[in-house]
Amino acid sequence: MPRSKYYLLLHRHSLFVDITMVCRLLALSALLSSAAAQATNSTTTTPITPNTPDPNDAGIKLKHFTAYSSSQTCDSDTHALPFNNQIRGVNLGGWMVLEPWITPSLFYQFLGGDENSVGMDHYSFCEVLGPKEGNEQLRRHWESWVTEDIVKELADSGAVNSLRVPVGDFMFEPYGPYVGCTDGAIDYLDQLMDWAHAYGLTVLIDVHTAKDSQNGFDNSGQSLGFQWTSGLSTYPRDLTTFQHWPIRAANWMGEFDPKSINYTSINHANIKHSLGVIEELVGRYAGHPAVLGVEPVNEPWELTPIKLLKKFYWDAYLIVKKKAPYWKFIMHDSFRFTPETWGGFMKGCPDRALDTHIYQAWMDPSSRLTFYNNACAQKKQIALMEREFGPVIVGEWSLATDNCAMWLNGFNDNLPGFPRSPCKYIECSAPYMGTDQPGTPVDIGKPVQGPYGTGMSGPSFGLCPTDRDWMTERYNRGESGMSWVSAPPEAPRGRDGTDEVMSLLARKKISAFSGIGHGFYFWNFRTDLYNPQWSYMLALERGWIPKGNLNDEQIMNSCHREDEGLFICEANRGAPENTVKSGMAYALGEEGKSAKYIDSLHDDDLYDEATIVFSEFWESHRGAGATCDFGGAAVLAEQNKTHTEDYFTDDYFNVVEVNEFPVWKIVLFGIAAVSVGGLTGFLFAMRLSPKFNRAVRSSVMLRPVTSSRVFRQSFGSLLEPGFVGLDMD
């Protein structure tokens, strides 16, 4: 699950951030990239793995192919189930691996604590509470956070076909404070597998944690690079303070030195432990019909030695394929989503895919158009990686456009400088597991409590921070939509444009992630607090994400303004002819067409005809989940043309026109309105009320007016009987 994408953005391609952010971070990015290269004795801009195996490497014979460890490549793939269907899924985050921002009700009990009584991740949760109390609370959490009704609701939405389930390595080989504390977790995972199968969903098992942390985030199980600083806080007295982000570290693969930004040693025992977890996991679930595959480690940070990481992936892949030959093998990109890093790796190996996580929550505040364009721009990079590496899955994404979700960057902590804009506050939710949970409900009589981290985030007087509202844009400020600069975090009545912005943003992201790549998993399926930008179920409820198979014209064409070019599905001219013919046979067979004629095609005639077949099939079926894959026979290519006619109706936003007047005009109109209203009332009173008429005519002050001939002719008939006017002589 996400943590500081500030660090992620230092290494990600410029398509994932706006130009302003890149310019600011250029110098630091160069420093970290250089240091990472030094640490791994290689560079991240040059492919490390050779594409051809050593002549003396006889290879490892597996069920469908031969694997060559010398080159980390494969051949002779006769796999009967190529990666032809897209994933449309959600993450079941915060369940087996705790993250305080997802389920704060579990962590309210630690507010106001000190160095010896605060849990701020799964590791310290178990460490502080101990195995007995920790396990009791976790069982209550496991029972209520994911239920059969929720799995059924996701399946019934029609928009979900798979679940990505983050699990802890400690569930299969317990260590440290996890021993005893997490007993029974696997039983709940077994139950989830059965529910998923019953409702027609697949499960991707994501090993979310690693011993000594693979990234330093709390989502790894243990926040590393952590220091209590209470002794340095002399005023105000008795403050409990800590720092984490400035000294973050990750020691899974070895001892990391933050001064030299280098690994000084390699921890082979930890790597062996993680491979042992894969052995246990595959051995337990190899025969379960719900399992789609496995992701051996989540989000290894960008300074992980790339050569060692690829060796770990290769060894884990062989373990999986020996026991579960039909499983998919998903690898996280280590925040290095570039063809220079991954191009050619595991070439020819079936069922592998690259996982990348794309968030906008850590971007600088900007207009809605910036977020729209950024979402659609991902198409190019995804298409590039599909071509240079192979299948790409966006394993995590959300609709958040700010950093306001409480504890998103850690328990009672925040990144320096975050959040970038003032946050909206709402009433903290009631505990999802019931009122027996210690520390709940939040004390409405207390401000933000300690311990205090680098930044501020936490409940205050019963209110919790959450994502900002989007305002309806003002017509006379143009499409740049700059009113967000001065907009309050909570939109005034009648000016809330959040539903509109989120709906359009969701369409564009789904179009980019599933229209080009092999699918996605939304993060997350639900949240404890009301955060629909991070909750798939709430986003469905709000109508931001449509139900159904997502084969909607508004989704498929939602990036029409942003697209600089269209994509076509063409034959992979580097693939063997037999592979291309097999892909054509699949496409033609799915549409009930004869494939006999392809036997006589060869060379350019074959590839030209294949391009027609693949492109037509992909265009017709991509909305229903088809990918441009066909067992490696096809690749996406950019077509150099754009829409010449804007024939779509889902433009960026529905304008609410607000005509703004200068102050002098408002004052002038006010005076005029009062004058006209007063004169009208006077005339009516003079004609309809004899008493008022008499009082006016009797007034000495108004004598110059009432004695005039015009006045007497207009109102004289209304005088009371016997009234004698004033003597004007």
Side-chain angles (χ1 to χ4, degrees):
M1 181 42 232
R3 276 297 167 266
S4 171
K5 282 349 186 216
Y6 172 87
Y7 293 97
L8 180 157
L9 293 175
L10 295 179
H11 294 272
R12 179 159 287 187
H13 189 278
S14 61
L15 288 173
F16 294 92
V17 295
D18 62 330
I19 299 301
T20 303
M21 189 72 166
V22 172
C23 291
R24 279 194 217 147
L25 300 177
L26 187 58
L28 185 55
S29 177
L31 175 63
L32 291 179
S33 297
S34 174
Q38 180 182 358
T40 62
N41 197 27
S42 61
T43 66
T44 59
T45 58
T46 302
I48 293 173
T49 307
N51 289 327
T52 56
D54 188 288
N56 297 320
D57 186 355
I60 302 171
K61 306 295 183 182
L62 297 169
K63 185 175 179 63
H64 302 111
F65 61 98
T66 302
Y68 299 95
S69 294
S70 60
S71 59
Q72 296 176 336
T73 60
C74 308
D75 68 7
S76 303
D77 177 18
T78 59
H79 192 10
L81 296 174
F83 212 140
N84 279 334
N85 294 315
Q86 285 182 344
I87 291 169
R88 305 280 177 78
V90 296
N91 285 273
L92 301 188
W95 187 40
M96 290 289 120
V97 179
L98 302 183
E99 297 186 38
W101 79 273
I102 299 177
T103 56
S105 291
L106 270 177
F107 289 84
Y108 290 146
Q109 60 188 309
F110 302 118
L111 290 173
D114 57 23
E115 292 88 339
N116 300 313
S117 61
V118 170
M120 52 183 61
D121 50 36
H122 205 134
Y123 188 96
S124 55
F125 178 93
C126 288
E127 189 175 44
V128 168
L129 295 181
K132 185 177 184 300
E133 176 63 21
N135 188 248
E136 182 179 325
Q137 292 191 25
L138 283 177
R139 286 180 180 273
R140 188 162 55 235
H141 160 72
W142 295 330
E143 193 76 32
S144 53
W145 188 241
V146 175
T147 66
E148 183 177 3
D149 288 342
I150 288 176
V151 174
K152 181 179 185 300
E153 183 177 344
L154 291 171
D156 289 346
S157 73
V160 174
N161 61 21
S162 188
L163 306 173
R164 181 173 180 256
V165 183
V167 300
D169 64 329
F170 47 78
M171 293 167 53
F172 300 91
E173 291 192 9
Y175 55 89
Y178 298 120
V179 176
C181 184
T182 58
D183 286 356
I186 292 182
D187 297 333
Y188 286 92
L189 182 59
D190 290 346
Q191 187 179 59
L192 182 277
M193 295 287 188
D194 295 340
W195 289 341
H197 180 60
Y199 293 107
L201 302 176
T202 63
V203 174
L204 173 63
I205 305 172
D206 159 42
V207 183
H208 222 62
T209 67
K211 199 171 185 180
D212 291 327
S213 182
Q214 72 275 21
N215 55 31
F217 303 152
D218 58 6
N219 66 35
S220 70
Q222 183 179 14
S223 302
L224 275 194
F226 185 91
Q227 181 181 4
W228 290 103
T229 58
S230 306
L232 302 176
S233 303
T234 58
Y235 184 83
R237 296 182 62 184
D238 301 325
L239 284 183
T240 303
T241 60
F242 64 90
Q243 66 170 336
H244 166 55
W245 290 115
I247 55 174
R248 181 174 67 115
N251 293 335
W252 168 48
M253 281 200 162
E255 191 69 27
F256 181 76
D257 180 11
K259 293 183 179 179
S260 63
I261 316 180
N262 195 4
Y263 278 88
T264 58
S265 63
I266 302 303
N267 193 325
H268 295 285
N270 278 359
I271 298 173
K272 183 178 180 181
H273 170 86
S274 293
L275 292 174
V277 169
I278 302 300
E279 289 267 16
E280 292 282 339
L281 189 153
V282 175
R284 187 178 186 89
Y285 296 113
H288 201 291
V291 179
L292 174 70
V294 64
E295 187 164 358
V297 65
N298 174 69
E299 292 187 346
W301 76 335
E302 61 276 15
L303 298 181
T304 304
I306 192 64
K307 189 174 182 179
L308 287 175
L309 180 61
K310 287 183 175 181
K311 178 65 165 59
F312 169 75
Y313 281 156
W314 178 256
D315 291 342
Y317 178 76
L318 295 180
I319 291 172
V320 171
K321 284 302 174 185
K322 287 176 182 177
K323 294 185 177 180
Y326 293 100
W327 277 21
K328 308 299 182 189
F329 187 81
I330 316 298
M331 300 170 287
H332 186 263
D333 63 5
S334 186
F335 304 121
R336 289 172 275 194
F337 192 54
T338 65
E340 291 81 11
T341 303
W342 299 106
F345 179 57
M346 294 179 66
K347 183 178 180 180
C349 299
D351 300 317
R352 94 273 196 263
L354 195 64
D355 172 20
T356 191
H357 298 171
I358 303 178
Y359 289 105
Q360 294 181 322
W362 284 265
M363 286 174 55
D364 276 344
S366 191
S367 69
R368 59 179 69 189
L369 296 193
T370 297
F371 289 102
Y372 293 162
N373 278 274
N374 176 268
C376 293
Q378 313 305 330
K379 284 185 178 182
K380 278 193 169 183
Q381 187 71 359
I382 292 173
L384 174 63
M385 293 301 293
E386 286 261 349
R387 183 169 62 250
E388 297 296 326
F389 168 81
V392 172
I393 294 170
V394 181
E396 294 182 15
W397 65 282
S398 75
L399 291 173
T401 54
D402 59 50
N403 220 238
C404 283
M406 189 177 77
W407 296 346
L408 181 62
N409 290 318
F411 174 80
N412 263 26
D413 198 8
N414 224 322
L415 279 167
F418 282 84
R420 298 290 196 187
S421 299
C423 298
K424 175 182 173 181
Y425 277 77
I426 61 174
E427 184 177 347
C428 299
S429 304
Y432 61 90
M433 74 290 285
T435 55
D436 290 340
Q437 177 61 30
T440 63
V442 174
D443 191 337
I444 62 174
K446 292 183 179 180
V448 177
Q449 302 178 67
Y452 303 100
T454 307
M456 289 286 289
S457 182
S460 178
F461 298 107
L463 300 177
C464 290
T466 188
D467 291 54
R468 294 168 54 89
D469 290 338
W470 278 93
M471 301 277 284
T472 52
E473 296 295 346
R474 296 176 182 267
Y475 177 77
N476 58 349
R477 295 190 181 183
E479 288 190 343
S480 62
M482 292 300 292
S483 66
W484 59 267
V485 174
S486 58
E490 184 170 3
R493 185 175 181 179
R495 296 289 291 164
D496 190 351
T498 305
D499 286 345
E500 182 181 335
V501 174
M502 291 295 103
S503 296
L504 285 176
L505 189 59
R507 293 175 194 168
K508 294 175 188 295
K509 289 192 174 189
I510 293 171
S511 173
F513 301 159
S514 63
I516 300 298
H518 278 67
F520 60 79
Y521 289 96
F522 187 92
W523 190 281
N524 191 32
F525 79 111
R526 66 181 291 202
T527 53
D528 187 0
L529 298 177
Y530 188 83
N531 287 318
Q533 288 86 348
W534 292 98
S535 168
Y536 193 87
M537 298 178 72
L538 289 178
L540 283 174
E541 184 180 304
R542 293 281 292 265
W544 298 351
I545 297 177
K547 296 183 178 181
N549 66 359
L550 305 182
N551 187 22
D552 185 281
E553 185 175 348
Q554 288 187 321
I555 294 176
M556 303 305 295
N557 298 317
S558 60
C559 285
H560 67 96
R561 285 193 177 186
E562 294 83 357
D563 284 347
E564 296 178 4
L566 303 178
F567 297 96
I568 60 173
C569 184
E570 66 178 16
N572 180 4
R573 294 182 181 268
E577 288 194 359
N578 287 339
T579 299
V580 175
K581 289 181 178 181
S582 297
M584 293 175 68
Y586 168 81
L588 294 169
E590 286 292 304
E591 295 190 326
K593 299 178 182 179
S594 174
K596 293 181 179 180
Y597 76 98
I598 65 177
D599 292 335
S600 61
L601 298 177
H602 300 282
D603 301 323
D604 288 343
D605 291 338
L606 171 64
Y607 293 103
D608 291 344
E609 177 65 18
T611 294
I612 296 173
V613 172
F614 294 152
S615 186
E616 289 180 351
F617 183 89
W618 182 67
E619 285 292 341
S620 299
H621 301 282
R622 67 187 180 117
T627 61
C628 181
D629 188 281
F630 303 99
V635 294
L636 280 171
E638 188 172 2
Q639 192 175 16
N640 292 321
K641 68 177 184 179
T642 58
H643 291 293
T644 57
E645 180 181 359
D646 188 3
Y647 54 92
F648 299 95
T649 58
D650 60 329
D651 284 341
Y652 289 133
F653 48 82
N654 298 319
V655 174
V656 177
E657 184 171 355
V658 179
N659 295 317
E660 296 182 338
F661 291 90
V663 175
W664 70 268
K665 284 187 177 182
I666 296 175
V667 173
L668 183 60
F669 274 103
I671 294 174
V674 171
S675 300
V676 171
L679 180 59
T680 302
F682 177 79
L683 294 176
F684 270 100
M686 287 296 292
R687 287 196 170 276
L688 301 178
S689 175
K691 290 184 178 181
F692 180 78
N693 186 303
R694 179 177 179 177
V696 171
R697 290 168 61 86
S698 301
S699 172
V700 175
M701 183 182 300
L702 298 175
R703 182 177 297 175
V705 176
T706 57
S707 62
S708 67
R709 179 176 297 179
V710 174
F711 184 87
R712 287 177 177 273
Q713 289 177 347
S714 299
F715 304 107
S717 62
L718 296 176
L719 297 180
E720 294 182 15
F723 172 74
V724 179
L726 295 174
D727 186 2
M728 304 302 297
D729 298 329

